[in-house]
Every structure is written in structure tokens, then in C-alpha cells.
Amino acid sequence: MFRSTPSRAAAATGLLLTLGLSTACSSGKEATTDSPAAKADGALSITYLQKQGDQEYFIGEAAGAKEKAKELGIDLKVVNLGNDANKTVSEVQSAIAQKASGVVIVVPDPAVGPQVVQTAKDGGVALLTSDDQICATGPDPAACGKDDLVPRIGFSGTQMGEEVGKRAAAEYEKAGWKASETRVISAWKQDVTVCGDRIAGSKKAFEAAVPGVKNIDVPTDNTPTGAQDRIAATITANSGVRNWVVWGCNDENVMGGVTALANADIGPDHVIGVGLGAYLACKEWQSDKPTGMKAALFINGKDVGALAVQTMYDKLKNGKEFPAEAFAPTTMVDHTSWKGAGVTCS
């Protein structure tokens, strides 16, 4: 879904690794979750396990990983875990059995974290997460000590949320709405740590610019239909609200909210949806038809996939320690700018 030039990707990779390494060194400690895998001398084989592998973002992530693997001469296998937490551990075991040198993983459920970490440790393979965090000692990364978090490649959840909140506040002020007539819907899967970081960032930035607007937290499964169903019930329970602001963990939540509001006959002039991903939001902008999806933060999965493979390669080939976290850049887009930013809609 994403397009990027080789020079842009190379520059981004160099910059992001620098940022990630500075983060990793800040504690002055070696993470207890760092893999025991030995430095590899021969050809490398890496398995990339992804939740929701048919989602546009993760399709882009896989493409970026494959391009980087080809460039580095790595044998890469990409596996779609869907939303099956049970499949996660079995696929890690399968990767070990197939003599993978390292595993990069996006877990469907962070609760499997301790089992994944132990399985990788017992199998002697390097383990790196992308996008979502997992903890070596418990099911909830939010309650995990920093040294027990598995190294992660992805985006800064807090920073992304803040950008969404700022844009929502700007759209709110431009619309001239009143706080008493408006509600904010925050929609996300509440056991996913990075989702919580994004939502907290959105709330903080929005409230700093626009105080007094009441927020409604809506737990979802992070899918468009799941979010639509839950948000539709919220709209029904708050039938007197005139204007709605919608943000969430990803584009799926916001698209579900925008659709639910449209189905409730709430016109696009009374909806401010700010997506996170842009891969669904852009579909609303392919025509001139008015939409409640006013903007979205573009996150390029291709950059994350490439950086994850490069980081694993540096660990296995050069003995370079994993950064605690390394972040990719983001860009806010809307109906006037999404094409120029490189967003591709299927």
C-alpha cells in the first residue's frame, strides 16, 4: 500500500536506528529480555509473524520487510497470525524448528508475551517485536518494568496520539462548536498498551487546546465492524448530542465511528473523525462526497518492516544490541494532501 524511494528508506533507516539506540542507552543497563542468540556467521533466516496480516498497514509492513531482506540477502518468511493468540506460540515453535536465526513478531494478544519470550529463549533465537509491546514477565506490558519489555520497532504511541488530538482540536475550533453540544469518542482495544498510549496522548493534546468537552471511552476489538457496533450503541445512549469528535487506536476504530454516525443520520458537518493509519481514511477522500473523516495520521508500515529486518540483521551479523525502541516518522494528511504524502488506497 505504500510507496517510498530507496534513498528515502535508507535515510529513514539510518536516522531511526540512531534514535532507537539513543533510547536504548539511556538506562545504562542491558535489557533482561535481550535474546541469547549467538552471532551468526552463515546465511540468515528470519520469520516475521504478524497479527491481522491482511490489513493494509501490515501488508505494507510485510512488503518493507521483504524488500530489506532481499537487499541484505536474508531468507524471510512472513506469517499471518490473524487474531489467533494460540497460533502465536505454535508459529514461534515452528520458526525454531525450521532453524530461523531470529523472529520478529506483532502479537494478536499481549497476554502471550511471557510464553513467546520463554519459547524464543529456550530455542536460542533472537526475538524482536514490531508495533505492539510484549512483556517477558506478565501479560500486561503497561504493568511491566522497562527491563522486562521486549525490544520494539514501531511508532511512538504517545506522540502519534498527541498529533491526532491536536488536529482534532484544530478542526473543532474551525467548526466553531460548543463544548456543551459536543462529545468525544475514544475507541480502542483496551488491553493493547500502544493503543492506550495513543488514546492518552490524544486526550491530553485535545484537552490542552479545547478544555471542557466530555469524553466517552468505548472499548472495541480494533476492527471497523466491532467499533461500529459499539459506537452505534453509544450514539443511541447519547441521542441529544449535536456534534461528535472521533479518534481511536487505528483507522478501523475511527472508520467504524464515522460509519455509525452516518447511519444515525448525523451529517458530516457534525462529525470530526481523525484516523490513525490513513489506509482506510483515504478511501473516504477518493471522491468529492463530504465525509466525517476530516484527517488521519499516516503511518508507513513499510518503514517499520524494513527497520525491523535491518535491526535483526545488525544484531545477528554484527552483534549490535537491540535498541529498547526505535521509531518511524508520521505525517498528518487529509483529502487535499494524502496522495502527495504517498498514501496508497487499495
Side-chain angles (χ1 to χ4, degrees):
M1 75 177 268
F2 302 106
R3 290 192 291 263
S4 62
T5 63
S7 60
R8 174 179 175 272
T13 298
L15 171 62
L16 296 171
L17 284 171
T18 300
L19 290 173
L21 287 170
S22 66
T23 303
C25 294
S26 62
S27 68
K29 298 179 181 179
E30 182 177 336
T32 59
T33 53
D34 203 8
S35 170
K39 187 175 173 181
D41 294 324
L44 295 182
S45 173
I46 295 174
T47 299
Y48 208 128
L49 306 176
Q50 296 178 304
K51 71 176 184 182
Q52 300 173 332
D54 56 351
Q55 184 197 83
E56 288 294 335
Y57 169 82
F58 291 114
I59 291 171
E61 184 176 78
K66 290 174 183 176
E67 288 178 11
K68 179 57 69 173
K70 183 177 180 180
E71 174 190 324
L72 297 173
I74 295 170
D75 178 17
L76 178 71
K77 180 182 179 182
V78 178
V79 178
N80 178 13
L81 300 172
N83 289 307
D84 189 346
N86 293 326
K87 187 177 180 181
T88 306
V89 176
S90 65
E91 287 294 345
V92 174
Q93 293 170 335
S94 177
I96 293 169
Q98 294 170 21
K99 306 301 183 184
S101 310
V103 172
V104 184
I105 188 167
V106 193
V107 293
D109 185 340
V112 301
Q115 193 172 357
V116 166
V117 172
Q118 190 62 50
T119 301
K121 184 177 180 180
D122 292 345
V125 299
L127 179 66
L128 180 67
T129 65
S130 72
D131 304 290
D132 298 344
Q133 287 182 315
I134 61 173
C135 177
T137 56
D140 182 6
C144 189
K146 288 185 178 180
D147 289 343
D148 292 324
L149 290 170
V150 176
R152 180 179 78 93
I153 306 299
F155 299 96
S156 168
T158 299
Q159 184 178 0
M160 287 193 297
E162 288 174 351
E163 291 302 314
V164 168
K166 289 176 185 176
R167 181 57 181 258
E171 294 287 342
Y172 174 92
E173 291 176 338
K174 183 170 69 175
W177 293 352
K178 296 179 180 179
S180 60
E181 298 176 342
T182 306
R183 294 293 182 271
V184 173
I185 288 177
S186 298
W188 80 105
K189 192 172 188 292
Q190 297 185 350
D191 61 352
V192 177
T193 308
V194 292
C195 288
D197 292 342
R198 296 171 189 179
I199 296 300
S202 296
K203 290 179 179 179
K204 180 180 177 181
F206 185 83
E207 290 169 2
V210 186
V213 181
K214 292 183 180 179
N215 174 84
I216 302 172
D217 290 339
V218 180
T220 74
D221 61 0
N222 277 355
T223 68
T225 53
Q228 182 179 333
D229 291 344
R230 297 302 298 270
I231 292 172
T234 300
I235 296 166
T236 300
N238 294 270
S239 58
V241 175
R242 177 177 172 80
N243 305 309
W244 294 89
V245 178
V246 185
W247 59 56
C249 180
N250 53 20
D251 258 22
E252 283 82 354
N253 281 289
V254 182
M255 194 69 257
V258 169
T259 301
L261 288 161
N263 290 344
D265 293 326
I266 297 173
D269 289 344
H270 296 279
V271 179
I272 294 172
V274 181
L276 205 160
Y279 44 84
L280 294 183
C282 63
K283 296 178 181 181
E284 293 288 286
W285 304 326
Q286 289 179 317
S287 71
D288 294 329
K289 184 179 177 180
T291 174
M293 187 72 79
K294 298 301 191 292
L297 192 66
F298 175 36
I299 55 176
N300 194 336
K302 227 178 162 181
D303 288 342
V304 173
L307 182 55
V309 170
Q310 180 71 61
T311 303
M312 182 64 78
Y313 176 89
D314 289 342
K315 164 74 171 178
L316 296 172
K317 275 294 185 182
N318 305 318
K320 198 175 196 179
E321 295 302 328
F322 286 142
E325 289 185 301
F327 298 141
T330 59
T331 305
M332 186 63 69
V333 297
D334 57 26
H335 72 285
T336 66
S337 62
W338 66 274
K339 290 183 180 178
V343 181
T344 303
C345 281
S346 60

